[in-house]
Amino acid sequence: MSATPGKHYRSVPPTEVVFEDGEYYKRIHLDILYAPTFDGTLEFALQIIPGSVTGAVMGKYLRTATVKIVDSSTFPTEKYANELRDGNIQTTREIPILDLVYQYIMMNLESPIVRKGTIKALLVALYHNCYSILTLVISYNLVKILNAPPCHETVRSRAAPLTIHDTLP
């Protein structure tokens, strides 16, 4: 389940449900908490514990109720909520695209898991780029060295001719 107690809803303590004659359903009040970030649709489960129902027969497979919380905030943030909710296509088209992308990026970085993963991915990309640049520099210098004229030809052309004198005592 995606909803977190204490963050998205207030937990319900174990409650006894009593059905009177002629009652076919019961309502349970749950407090949904405001979350400033967009979460889409979240859900959590309520379980009916055997023995907690009085005056009714609990079905074999109907022991769990799934509760869905539909987020009413706008995506990605509330900055352009009025423009998006008025339903006017022209107003929606006037929203700056780069700012909308920026809002989306900032919404994602509010999540600690996404922020940590993004930092890891950026560090791996940085390492890969440094490795590529270092490989390029080394390859360039190797080609430069290998295509240079041999050192011994350069030394001979600049050196004075050697003469050997026999000196016998």
Side-chain angles (χ1 to χ4, degrees):
M1 298 292 159
S2 54
T4 307
K7 181 179 178 186
H8 300 108
Y9 66 94
R10 194 166 284 119
S11 293
V12 177
T15 306
E16 184 177 354
V17 180
V18 178
F19 286 87
E20 301 296 333
D21 286 339
E23 286 186 315
Y24 297 101
Y25 66 90
K26 283 289 190 179
R27 291 183 188 261
I28 300 172
H29 179 76
L30 299 171
D31 290 327
I32 305 298
L33 304 176
Y34 171 76
T37 58
F38 181 81
D39 289 317
T41 301
L42 303 171
E43 57 184 40
F44 63 95
L46 288 176
Q47 288 189 327
I48 301 172
I49 302 168
S52 66
V53 178
T54 306
V57 177
M58 195 161 61
K60 185 175 181 181
Y61 301 106
L62 301 175
R63 297 171 186 246
T64 302
T66 301
V67 179
K68 294 189 182 253
I69 304 171
V70 179
D71 197 341
S72 62
S73 58
T74 55
F75 178 81
T77 63
E78 293 291 321
K79 183 172 183 179
Y80 297 109
N82 293 335
E83 291 87 343
L84 293 170
R85 285 192 180 126
D86 75 358
N88 186 344
I89 290 182
Q90 186 59 35
T91 308
T92 305
R93 288 184 178 157
E94 291 173 0
I95 297 172
I97 301 242
L98 289 178
D99 192 39
L100 201 58
V101 170
Y102 174 76
Q103 295 296 320
Y104 174 73
I105 291 169
M106 296 312 294
M107 177 203 71
N108 282 316
L109 292 178
E110 287 177 4
S111 167
I113 295 170
V114 173
R115 185 174 45 251
K116 187 176 179 182
T118 302
I119 290 171
K120 284 181 183 178
L122 288 173
L123 289 175
V124 167
L126 178 66
Y127 170 78
H128 178 72
N129 288 341
C130 289
Y131 176 79
S132 297
I133 290 171
L134 184 63
T135 303
L136 183 66
V137 168
I138 290 172
S139 298
Y140 171 77
N141 285 321
L142 281 174
V143 169
K144 188 176 173 183
I145 289 170
L146 292 175
N147 285 333
C151 291
H152 62 279
E153 289 179 11
T154 306
V155 171
R156 275 193 205 154
S157 64
R158 292 185 187 162
L162 294 174
T163 53
I164 299 176
H165 298 288
D166 287 336
T167 54
L168 293 171

